[in-house]
Amino acid sequence: MCLLCDDEKAYQAYMNYLDAMARQGNAADPQQAIDAVLDQLEAEAKDKAKARAKDDPANDKTLSPFFCSPVPPK
């Protein structure tokens, strides 16, 4: 549990998982809960990275060929 205490988002996801398991009437195995939470957080991080890459102007294929890119400093 100490692994998750430092990360508010991970701790909240862990508690939500335990609550969901309790509502289903299942006893949650702590190790399975941590694995499920970490998998969920990794999937969210991948989705956010993919969304950021999609919004990157360098990946925008709709730009005109005459679009001026910033001049790198010397």
Side-chain angles (χ1 to χ4, degrees):
M1 189 64 191
C2 292
L3 171 72
L4 300 177
C5 288
D6 291 336
D7 186 358
E8 180 71 28
K9 192 174 192 178
Y11 181 75
Q12 186 63 40
Y14 179 75
M15 295 309 292
N16 289 342
Y17 180 84
L18 291 180
D19 288 344
M21 293 302 286
R23 277 188 237 115
Q24 292 175 2
N26 299 333
D29 176 28
Q31 188 59 41
Q32 274 185 326
I34 289 175
D35 290 343
V37 166
L38 292 177
D39 289 344
Q40 177 187 2
L41 292 174
E42 286 176 357
E44 288 175 7
K46 280 184 184 178
D47 290 343
K48 284 182 183 179
K50 193 181 292 185
R52 264 187 254 121
K54 185 178 180 182
D55 293 339
D56 185 12
N59 295 332
D60 190 355
K61 304 301 182 204
T62 63
L63 294 175
S64 163
F66 302 106
F67 179 74
C68 295
S69 58
V71 178
K74 291 183 181 181

